[in-house]
Amino acid sequence: MYAVFNDYILIMKQPLLGKTLSELQDLCLQLSMPKFTAKQIAQWIYVKHVHTIDEMTNLSKGNREKLDLLYCVGCSEPIEVNRSIDGTIKFLFPTEDEKFIETVYIPDGDRATLCISSQVGCKMNCLFCQTGKQGWNGNLSTRDILNQVYSVDQFLMEEKKTALTNVVYMGQGEPLDNMDNVMKSLEILTSDYGWAWSPKRITLSTVGLKKNLQRYLEECECHLAISLHTPIHEQRLQLMPAEKQFAIHDIVEFLKGYDWSHQRRVTFEYTMFGGTNDTPLHSRELVKLLSGLECRVNLIRWHKIPDVPLKEVENRSMESFRDYLNNHGITTTIRASRGQDIWAACGLLSTRKQMEQ
């Protein structure tokens, strides 16, 4: 790519970060570089985390110069870092098309999870989620998705904090609505030429876009989390407009027909609202809905956001709900709420303020 400025051609360098091995091989062939150079480039980026092409010292000087003419590594640092009293850290990242996204680092003993975004805003417009209130402003590129991991890795090394052990696609956006870029990012995270992470360290959360859900299950082995929030169709439709096209009963029936004999895990996320979806009726209906499916339920505390007529749930209600499900054979836990003081807890991520500046 290039732009014309005062009769001069300004070359817009493309990022290497986010390219798969096959894409790097095509790139090398186009530049008349040996095909094996692609694996060397991948190692420098995904294993050694270099920031410049000149650091790729096992490439000849001539090949580095050819590469540097058109490409850059493409990593970028966060432009804002917010720290919670509980150790959670929220990062604000610029995207390739000059928008912004938020990413959350959640340490927990010897574990550390990074909650990454896949879109700027979200189309799903769930009633209870702050991200949906900003609307949808575009898909993240594979580079934008992976830069969150790349940059935070570097940040943690510099601050001598617990290294990442898990990644969850639970930040801004619906991952399966940005299917191609999300799947490429998963390939790079789990491939030998990339981060070489076990798929069991990665979880993707979705409202349940059925066609893309099937592709996800067929093409990768990462864990799955389904945003459920109520087992009652009419109520889920009010909370989540996606229920109209992707009814939770249809999603569950589809999952019941899938082979879960391997180690992949399916979890149902259930954000609780006081007096709305925390009643004995809801717990009974949830047991009926999930009966026969090997799964677990994660109960999530909702944090109030402006102009939404829902109430926060009481502890005793969550505990009673959890105990009922556990007593009826559904493994259920209550997710610890983290980072609420910096608006980093579940459902609170939004970059509208920065985008309007």
Side-chain angles (χ1 to χ4, degrees), residues 124-133 207 227-230 235-242 269-273 276-277 300-311 343 345-349:
M124 301 301 111
N125 196 26
C126 297
L127 175 65
F128 50 87
C129 180
Q130 184 68 31
T131 302
K133 307 306 176 192
V207 301
S227 296
L228 197 159
H229 311 304
T230 176
Q235 188 177 52
R236 192 169 188 260
L237 191 59
Q238 293 177 339
L239 294 171
M240 305 172 66
E269 298 169 312
Y270 197 97
T271 301
M272 301 195 73
F273 317 104
T276 298
N277 65 348
I300 303 169
R301 180 178 302 280
W302 182 68
H303 302 286
K304 194 161 183 62
I305 60 176
D307 304 319
V308 174
L310 293 169
K311 297 179 181 178
W343 280 68
C346 293
L348 296 184
L349 298 186

Short mmCIF file of all heavy atoms in Angstrom, two decimals, residues 124-133 207 227-230 235-242 269-273 276-277 300-311 343 345-349:
data_model
loop_
_atom_site.label_atom_id
_atom_site.label_comp_id
_atom_site.label_asym_id
_atom_site.label_seq_id
_atom_site.Cartn_x
_atom_site.Cartn_y
_atom_site.Cartn_z
N MET A 124 -24.21 -7.26 18.79
CA MET A 124 -25.20 -8.08 19.49
C MET A 124 -26.14 -7.25 20.37
O MET A 124 -27.27 -7.62 20.61
CB MET A 124 -24.51 -9.16 20.32
CG MET A 124 -23.64 -10.11 19.50
SD MET A 124 -24.51 -11.00 18.19
CE MET A 124 -23.80 -10.25 16.72
N ASN A 125 -25.65 -6.13 20.88
CA ASN A 125 -26.47 -5.18 21.65
C ASN A 125 -27.23 -5.83 22.80
O ASN A 125 -28.42 -5.55 23.02
CB ASN A 125 -27.44 -4.44 20.73
CG ASN A 125 -28.02 -3.19 21.38
OD1 ASN A 125 -27.40 -2.60 22.26
ND2 ASN A 125 -29.21 -2.81 20.98
N CYS A 126 -26.57 -6.67 23.57
CA CYS A 126 -27.19 -7.26 24.75
C CYS A 126 -27.53 -6.14 25.75
O CYS A 126 -26.71 -5.23 25.96
CB CYS A 126 -26.27 -8.27 25.40
SG CYS A 126 -25.89 -9.69 24.32
N LEU A 127 -28.71 -6.22 26.33
CA LEU A 127 -29.20 -5.15 27.20
C LEU A 127 -28.25 -4.81 28.34
O LEU A 127 -28.07 -3.65 28.70
CB LEU A 127 -30.56 -5.57 27.78
CG LEU A 127 -31.20 -4.63 28.81
CD1 LEU A 127 -31.54 -3.28 28.17
CD2 LEU A 127 -32.44 -5.27 29.42
N PHE A 128 -27.58 -5.82 28.88
CA PHE A 128 -26.82 -5.67 30.10
C PHE A 128 -25.34 -5.37 29.88
O PHE A 128 -24.56 -5.28 30.84
CB PHE A 128 -26.92 -6.97 30.92
CG PHE A 128 -26.64 -8.20 30.11
CD1 PHE A 128 -25.35 -8.68 29.95
CD2 PHE A 128 -27.67 -8.87 29.47
CE1 PHE A 128 -25.09 -9.80 29.19
CE2 PHE A 128 -27.42 -10.01 28.70
CZ PHE A 128 -26.13 -10.47 28.57
N CYS A 129 -24.91 -5.21 28.61
CA CYS A 129 -23.48 -5.08 28.30
C CYS A 129 -23.13 -3.68 27.83
O CYS A 129 -23.73 -3.17 26.88
CB CYS A 129 -23.10 -6.11 27.24
SG CYS A 129 -21.36 -6.06 26.78
N GLN A 130 -22.14 -3.09 28.45
CA GLN A 130 -21.71 -1.74 28.11
C GLN A 130 -21.10 -1.66 26.71
O GLN A 130 -21.26 -0.67 26.01
CB GLN A 130 -20.71 -1.23 29.15
CG GLN A 130 -20.25 0.20 28.96
CD GLN A 130 -21.35 1.21 29.21
OE1 GLN A 130 -22.25 0.98 30.02
NE2 GLN A 130 -21.32 2.34 28.51
N THR A 131 -20.43 -2.72 26.29
CA THR A 131 -19.80 -2.72 24.96
C THR A 131 -20.83 -2.48 23.87
O THR A 131 -20.61 -1.72 22.93
CB THR A 131 -19.06 -4.04 24.70
OG1 THR A 131 -18.07 -4.25 25.71
CG2 THR A 131 -18.37 -4.02 23.35
N GLY A 132 -21.98 -3.17 23.98
CA GLY A 132 -23.01 -3.04 22.96
C GLY A 132 -23.59 -1.65 22.85
O GLY A 132 -24.12 -1.26 21.80
N LYS A 133 -23.48 -0.86 23.93
CA LYS A 133 -24.05 0.48 23.93
C LYS A 133 -23.28 1.42 22.99
O LYS A 133 -23.81 2.45 22.58
CB LYS A 133 -24.05 1.08 25.34
CG LYS A 133 -24.72 0.22 26.41
CD LYS A 133 -26.12 -0.19 26.04
CE LYS A 133 -26.70 -1.14 27.08
NZ LYS A 133 -27.95 -1.78 26.63
N VAL A 207 -22.34 -15.71 21.70
CA VAL A 207 -23.78 -15.81 21.92
C VAL A 207 -24.33 -17.02 21.18
O VAL A 207 -25.46 -17.45 21.44
CB VAL A 207 -24.53 -14.54 21.47
CG1 VAL A 207 -24.02 -13.32 22.21
CG2 VAL A 207 -24.44 -14.33 19.97
N SER A 227 -22.81 -17.71 25.93
CA SER A 227 -23.52 -16.72 26.73
C SER A 227 -25.00 -17.11 26.78
O SER A 227 -25.70 -16.99 25.77
CB SER A 227 -23.36 -15.32 26.11
OG SER A 227 -22.01 -14.92 26.15
N LEU A 228 -25.45 -17.55 27.93
CA LEU A 228 -26.82 -18.07 28.06
C LEU A 228 -27.74 -17.05 28.75
O LEU A 228 -28.66 -16.55 28.17
CB LEU A 228 -26.77 -19.40 28.83
CG LEU A 228 -27.98 -20.32 28.74
CD1 LEU A 228 -27.59 -21.74 29.10
CD2 LEU A 228 -29.11 -19.87 29.66
N HIS A 229 -27.51 -16.83 30.04
CA HIS A 229 -28.12 -15.76 30.83
C HIS A 229 -29.59 -15.96 31.22
O HIS A 229 -30.04 -15.35 32.19
CB HIS A 229 -27.92 -14.40 30.17
CG HIS A 229 -26.51 -14.15 29.75
ND1 HIS A 229 -25.46 -14.23 30.65
CD2 HIS A 229 -25.95 -13.88 28.55
CE1 HIS A 229 -24.32 -14.00 30.01
NE2 HIS A 229 -24.61 -13.79 28.74
N THR A 230 -30.33 -16.77 30.49
CA THR A 230 -31.65 -17.22 30.92
C THR A 230 -32.06 -18.38 30.04
O THR A 230 -31.80 -18.38 28.83
CB THR A 230 -32.71 -16.11 30.86
OG1 THR A 230 -34.01 -16.67 31.22
CG2 THR A 230 -32.82 -15.50 29.47
N GLN A 235 -37.64 -14.27 27.55
CA GLN A 235 -36.81 -13.40 28.38
C GLN A 235 -35.43 -13.20 27.75
O GLN A 235 -34.88 -12.09 27.76
CB GLN A 235 -36.67 -13.98 29.78
CG GLN A 235 -36.00 -13.05 30.77
CD GLN A 235 -35.93 -13.64 32.16
OE1 GLN A 235 -35.48 -14.77 32.34
NE2 GLN A 235 -36.40 -12.88 33.14
N ARG A 236 -34.87 -14.27 27.17
CA ARG A 236 -33.56 -14.13 26.53
C ARG A 236 -33.65 -13.19 25.33
O ARG A 236 -32.73 -12.45 25.03
CB ARG A 236 -33.03 -15.50 26.10
CG ARG A 236 -31.54 -15.49 25.68
CD ARG A 236 -31.00 -16.89 25.52
NE ARG A 236 -29.56 -16.89 25.31
CZ ARG A 236 -28.95 -17.01 24.12
NH1 ARG A 236 -29.69 -17.12 23.02
NH2 ARG A 236 -27.64 -17.01 24.03
N LEU A 237 -34.80 -13.22 24.66
CA LEU A 237 -35.00 -12.32 23.53
C LEU A 237 -34.97 -10.86 23.98
O LEU A 237 -34.46 -9.99 23.27
CB LEU A 237 -36.34 -12.64 22.86
CG LEU A 237 -36.64 -11.99 21.51
CD1 LEU A 237 -35.57 -12.36 20.48
CD2 LEU A 237 -38.02 -12.40 21.03
N GLN A 238 -35.49 -10.59 25.18
CA GLN A 238 -35.47 -9.22 25.72
C GLN A 238 -34.06 -8.82 26.12
O GLN A 238 -33.66 -7.67 25.93
CB GLN A 238 -36.41 -9.12 26.92
CG GLN A 238 -37.88 -9.28 26.56
CD GLN A 238 -38.76 -9.25 27.80
OE1 GLN A 238 -38.31 -9.49 28.92
NE2 GLN A 238 -40.04 -8.96 27.60
N LEU A 239 -33.32 -9.76 26.69
CA LEU A 239 -31.96 -9.47 27.15
C LEU A 239 -30.94 -9.48 26.02
O LEU A 239 -29.98 -8.70 26.02
CB LEU A 239 -31.52 -10.50 28.21
CG LEU A 239 -32.28 -10.50 29.53
CD1 LEU A 239 -31.86 -11.71 30.36
CD2 LEU A 239 -32.02 -9.21 30.32
N MET A 240 -31.17 -10.38 25.04
CA MET A 240 -30.19 -10.61 23.98
C MET A 240 -30.92 -10.71 22.64
O MET A 240 -31.50 -11.75 22.33
CB MET A 240 -29.42 -11.91 24.24
CG MET A 240 -28.74 -11.97 25.60
SD MET A 240 -28.06 -13.62 25.94
CE MET A 240 -26.77 -13.72 24.68
N PRO A 241 -30.91 -9.66 21.83
CA PRO A 241 -31.60 -9.71 20.54
C PRO A 241 -31.15 -10.87 19.65
O PRO A 241 -31.92 -11.32 18.80
CB PRO A 241 -31.23 -8.36 19.91
CG PRO A 241 -30.98 -7.46 21.07
CD PRO A 241 -30.36 -8.33 22.13
N ALA A 242 -29.94 -11.38 19.85
CA ALA A 242 -29.44 -12.50 19.05
C ALA A 242 -30.28 -13.75 19.23
O ALA A 242 -30.24 -14.66 18.38
CB ALA A 242 -27.98 -12.79 19.40
N GLU A 269 -22.16 -19.34 30.29
CA GLU A 269 -22.02 -18.14 31.12
C GLU A 269 -23.41 -17.62 31.46
O GLU A 269 -24.27 -17.46 30.57
CB GLU A 269 -21.22 -17.08 30.36
CG GLU A 269 -19.80 -17.53 30.04
CD GLU A 269 -19.11 -16.60 29.07
OE1 GLU A 269 -19.73 -16.26 28.04
OE2 GLU A 269 -17.97 -16.20 29.35
N TYR A 270 -23.62 -17.35 32.73
CA TYR A 270 -24.95 -16.96 33.20
C TYR A 270 -24.81 -15.73 34.09
O TYR A 270 -24.50 -15.83 35.28
CB TYR A 270 -25.58 -18.12 33.99
CG TYR A 270 -27.07 -18.02 34.19
CD1 TYR A 270 -27.95 -18.68 33.35
CD2 TYR A 270 -27.60 -17.30 35.26
CE1 TYR A 270 -29.33 -18.62 33.54
CE2 TYR A 270 -28.97 -17.22 35.46
CZ TYR A 270 -29.83 -17.89 34.61
OH TYR A 270 -31.19 -17.82 34.79
N THR A 271 -24.97 -14.56 33.47
CA THR A 271 -24.92 -13.31 34.24
C THR A 271 -26.24 -13.17 35.00
O THR A 271 -27.32 -13.30 34.42
CB THR A 271 -24.72 -12.11 33.30
OG1 THR A 271 -23.49 -12.29 32.59
CG2 THR A 271 -24.65 -10.81 34.10
N MET A 272 -26.16 -12.89 36.30
CA MET A 272 -27.35 -12.89 37.14
C MET A 272 -27.83 -11.48 37.45
O MET A 272 -27.03 -10.59 37.75
CB MET A 272 -27.08 -13.66 38.43
CG MET A 272 -26.68 -15.12 38.19
SD MET A 272 -26.78 -16.15 39.67
CE MET A 272 -28.56 -16.32 39.84
N PHE A 273 -29.14 -11.31 37.37
CA PHE A 273 -29.80 -10.03 37.66
C PHE A 273 -30.84 -10.26 38.75
O PHE A 273 -31.67 -11.17 38.64
CB PHE A 273 -30.47 -9.49 36.39
CG PHE A 273 -29.63 -9.61 35.15
CD1 PHE A 273 -29.90 -10.58 34.20
CD2 PHE A 273 -28.55 -8.76 34.95
CE1 PHE A 273 -29.12 -10.72 33.07
CE2 PHE A 273 -27.77 -8.88 33.81
CZ PHE A 273 -28.05 -9.86 32.86
N THR A 276 -34.73 -11.11 38.30
CA THR A 276 -35.00 -11.29 36.87
C THR A 276 -34.75 -12.72 36.40
O THR A 276 -35.62 -13.36 35.81
CB THR A 276 -34.15 -10.31 36.04
OG1 THR A 276 -34.51 -8.97 36.37
CG2 THR A 276 -34.37 -10.53 34.54
N ASN A 277 -33.55 -13.23 36.66
CA ASN A 277 -33.22 -14.58 36.18
C ASN A 277 -32.60 -15.44 37.28
O ASN A 277 -31.90 -16.41 37.00
CB ASN A 277 -32.27 -14.51 34.98
CG ASN A 277 -30.91 -13.93 35.34
OD1 ASN A 277 -30.73 -13.36 36.42
ND2 ASN A 277 -29.96 -14.06 34.44
N ILE A 300 -22.13 -15.26 36.87
CA ILE A 300 -21.40 -14.00 36.80
C ILE A 300 -22.21 -12.89 37.44
O ILE A 300 -23.40 -12.74 37.15
CB ILE A 300 -21.09 -13.64 35.33
CG1 ILE A 300 -20.30 -14.77 34.67
CG2 ILE A 300 -20.32 -12.32 35.24
CD1 ILE A 300 -20.18 -14.63 33.17
N ARG A 301 -21.59 -12.14 38.29
CA ARG A 301 -22.26 -11.00 38.92
C ARG A 301 -22.36 -9.84 37.92
O ARG A 301 -21.38 -9.47 37.29
CB ARG A 301 -21.48 -10.54 40.15
CG ARG A 301 -22.09 -9.36 40.89
CD ARG A 301 -21.27 -9.01 42.11
NE ARG A 301 -21.17 -10.15 43.00
CZ ARG A 301 -22.13 -10.52 43.85
NH1 ARG A 301 -23.26 -9.83 43.91
NH2 ARG A 301 -21.97 -11.56 44.63
N TRP A 302 -23.56 -9.29 37.78
CA TRP A 302 -23.74 -8.15 36.90
C TRP A 302 -23.43 -6.85 37.65
O TRP A 302 -23.81 -6.68 38.81
CB TRP A 302 -25.18 -8.09 36.38
CG TRP A 302 -25.43 -6.96 35.42
CD1 TRP A 302 -24.92 -6.82 34.17
CD2 TRP A 302 -26.24 -5.80 35.64
NE1 TRP A 302 -25.36 -5.66 33.58
CE2 TRP A 302 -26.17 -5.00 34.47
CE3 TRP A 302 -27.01 -5.34 36.71
CZ2 TRP A 302 -26.86 -3.80 34.34
CZ3 TRP A 302 -27.70 -4.14 36.58
CH2 TRP A 302 -27.62 -3.38 35.41
N HIS A 303 -22.75 -5.94 36.97
CA HIS A 303 -22.43 -4.63 37.55
C HIS A 303 -23.24 -3.57 36.82
O HIS A 303 -23.25 -3.51 35.59
CB HIS A 303 -20.93 -4.35 37.43
CG HIS A 303 -20.10 -5.38 38.11
ND1 HIS A 303 -19.99 -5.46 39.48
CD2 HIS A 303 -19.34 -6.40 37.61
CE1 HIS A 303 -19.19 -6.48 39.80
NE2 HIS A 303 -18.79 -7.06 38.68
N LYS A 304 -23.91 -2.77 37.57
CA LYS A 304 -24.86 -1.81 37.01
C LYS A 304 -24.18 -0.86 36.04
O LYS A 304 -23.08 -0.37 36.27
CB LYS A 304 -25.52 -1.02 38.14
CG LYS A 304 -26.75 -0.23 37.68
CD LYS A 304 -27.63 0.14 38.84
CE LYS A 304 -28.89 0.85 38.36
NZ LYS A 304 -29.72 -0.01 37.49
N ILE A 305 -24.86 -0.61 34.92
CA ILE A 305 -24.41 0.37 33.92
C ILE A 305 -25.54 1.37 33.69
O ILE A 305 -26.71 1.09 33.98
CB ILE A 305 -24.00 -0.31 32.60
CG1 ILE A 305 -25.18 -1.07 31.99
CG2 ILE A 305 -22.82 -1.23 32.81
CD1 ILE A 305 -24.88 -1.70 30.65
N PRO A 306 -25.22 2.56 33.21
CA PRO A 306 -26.23 3.61 33.07
C PRO A 306 -27.40 3.22 32.17
O PRO A 306 -27.24 2.53 31.16
CB PRO A 306 -25.44 4.78 32.46
CG PRO A 306 -24.01 4.52 32.82
CD PRO A 306 -23.87 3.03 32.83
N ASP A 307 -28.60 3.65 32.57
CA ASP A 307 -29.82 3.56 31.76
C ASP A 307 -30.25 2.13 31.45
O ASP A 307 -30.90 1.87 30.43
CB ASP A 307 -29.62 4.32 30.44
CG ASP A 307 -29.23 5.78 30.65
OD1 ASP A 307 -29.80 6.42 31.55
OD2 ASP A 307 -28.34 6.27 29.93
N VAL A 308 -29.91 1.20 32.32
CA VAL A 308 -30.36 -0.18 32.15
C VAL A 308 -31.18 -0.59 33.38
O VAL A 308 -30.65 -0.58 34.50
CB VAL A 308 -29.16 -1.14 31.97
CG1 VAL A 308 -29.63 -2.59 31.94
CG2 VAL A 308 -28.41 -0.82 30.69
N PRO A 309 -32.46 -0.93 33.21
CA PRO A 309 -33.36 -1.19 34.35
C PRO A 309 -33.24 -2.60 34.91
O PRO A 309 -34.23 -3.32 35.06
CB PRO A 309 -34.74 -0.96 33.72
CG PRO A 309 -34.57 -1.39 32.31
CD PRO A 309 -33.16 -0.99 31.92
N LEU A 310 -32.02 -3.02 35.20
CA LEU A 310 -31.79 -4.32 35.84
C LEU A 310 -31.16 -4.09 37.21
O LEU A 310 -30.56 -3.04 37.45
CB LEU A 310 -30.86 -5.18 34.97
CG LEU A 310 -31.43 -5.65 33.62
CD1 LEU A 310 -30.33 -6.24 32.76
CD2 LEU A 310 -32.57 -6.63 33.81
N LYS A 311 -31.29 -5.08 38.08
CA LYS A 311 -30.77 -4.94 39.44
C LYS A 311 -29.64 -5.94 39.67
O LYS A 311 -29.64 -7.04 39.12
CB LYS A 311 -31.89 -5.20 40.46
CG LYS A 311 -33.04 -4.20 40.39
CD LYS A 311 -34.11 -4.56 41.42
CE LYS A 311 -35.27 -3.57 41.36
NZ LYS A 311 -36.36 -3.92 42.33
N TRP A 343 -13.57 -0.26 35.68
CA TRP A 343 -14.50 -0.64 34.61
C TRP A 343 -13.88 -1.72 33.72
O TRP A 343 -13.87 -1.60 32.50
CB TRP A 343 -14.94 0.58 33.80
CG TRP A 343 -16.02 1.35 34.50
CD1 TRP A 343 -15.88 2.07 35.65
CD2 TRP A 343 -17.40 1.45 34.14
NE1 TRP A 343 -17.10 2.61 36.03
CE2 TRP A 343 -18.04 2.25 35.10
CE3 TRP A 343 -18.16 0.94 33.08
CZ2 TRP A 343 -19.40 2.55 35.06
CZ3 TRP A 343 -19.51 1.24 33.02
CH2 TRP A 343 -20.12 2.03 34.00
N ALA A 345 -14.51 -5.17 34.72
CA ALA A 345 -15.24 -6.40 35.00
C ALA A 345 -16.11 -6.80 33.81
O ALA A 345 -16.28 -6.03 32.85
CB ALA A 345 -16.09 -6.23 36.26
N CYS A 346 -16.68 -8.00 33.87
CA CYS A 346 -17.50 -8.53 32.78
C CYS A 346 -18.61 -7.55 32.40
O CYS A 346 -19.35 -7.08 33.26
CB CYS A 346 -18.12 -9.87 33.18
SG CYS A 346 -16.93 -11.19 33.39
N GLY A 347 -18.70 -7.26 31.10
CA GLY A 347 -19.77 -6.42 30.60
C GLY A 347 -19.53 -4.93 30.70
O GLY A 347 -20.38 -4.14 30.29
N LEU A 348 -18.37 -4.52 31.20
CA LEU A 348 -18.12 -3.09 31.42
C LEU A 348 -17.20 -2.47 30.39
O LEU A 348 -17.02 -1.25 30.39
CB LEU A 348 -17.53 -2.86 32.82
CG LEU A 348 -18.43 -3.21 34.01
CD1 LEU A 348 -17.74 -2.82 35.33
CD2 LEU A 348 -19.79 -2.53 33.91
N LEU A 349 -16.61 -3.25 29.50
CA LEU A 349 -15.63 -2.69 28.56
C LEU A 349 -16.32 -1.81 27.51
O LEU A 349 -17.32 -2.20 26.90
CB LEU A 349 -14.86 -3.80 27.85
CG LEU A 349 -14.01 -4.71 28.74
CD1 LEU A 349 -13.19 -5.66 27.88
CD2 LEU A 349 -13.11 -3.91 29.65
#
